[in-house]
Amino acid sequence: MNTPARHLIFHGAIVLLFGLLCGGPYAGAIKRQAAAHIVHSWRVAHASLPMGATLMLAVGALLSHLAGGAALHWFIAVSLIVSSYAFCFALPLAAIVGHRGLSSGGPLSARLVFAGNVLGAWASGLASAALVYAAYVSL
């Protein structure tokens, strides 16, 4: 297993743990009957972060078997890691501050959620495109 794959697995495990730990605030929001959008935001964090972590673990398991060379493998790994940590920042922050982060306006907290979402989306998109390329050249 190459080094980028090992990094993906390590950081995927961290993101998995973080996403699962978001279940505590999710349960707390339900118990205190928080507003529906707050409960929904915690549900998104608790469900989405482990899904991203699972993707990282899966890509980490197969990355060493794909063609494209070390630079491409590092690009895929770093893009997925950056994406996951951006969402680890944005999704819980959205639940804490009550902003969805769908626009760049509003208070600083809303703009931070938006920035995290944009970074996460762009990085995951780049990683996906690079992964498709690596899979194609491996045929």
Side-chain angles (χ1 to χ4, degrees):
M1 182 176 295
N2 64 19
T3 304
R6 290 194 305 268
H7 278 271
L8 266 175
I9 291 169
F10 172 71
H11 291 285
I14 291 171
V15 172
L16 176 62
L17 176 61
F18 187 76
L20 294 175
L21 290 174
C22 285
Y26 174 39
I30 293 169
K31 286 181 181 179
R32 73 174 185 276
Q33 297 178 344
H37 73 280
I38 300 298
V39 173
H40 176 74
S41 292
W42 280 116
R43 182 182 317 116
V44 168
H46 180 56
S48 299
L49 294 175
M51 282 190 276
T54 303
L55 172 68
M56 293 170 71
L57 295 172
V59 172
L62 64 88
L63 191 61
S64 298
H65 302 287
L66 296 176
L72 181 60
H73 291 184
W74 274 113
F75 181 80
I76 293 167
V78 169
S79 296
L80 286 174
I81 292 166
V82 167
S83 173
S84 293
Y85 284 128
F87 286 128
C88 280
F89 170 78
L91 296 178
L93 181 61
I96 292 166
V97 301
H99 294 288
R100 296 182 69 187
L102 298 176
S103 68
S104 60
L108 177 62
S109 58
R111 288 181 286 164
L112 288 172
V113 172
F114 176 77
N117 284 336
V118 168
L119 178 60
W122 271 101
S124 63
L126 291 172
S128 296
L131 184 60
V132 167
Y133 174 76
Y136 176 74
V137 298
S138 297
L139 292 176

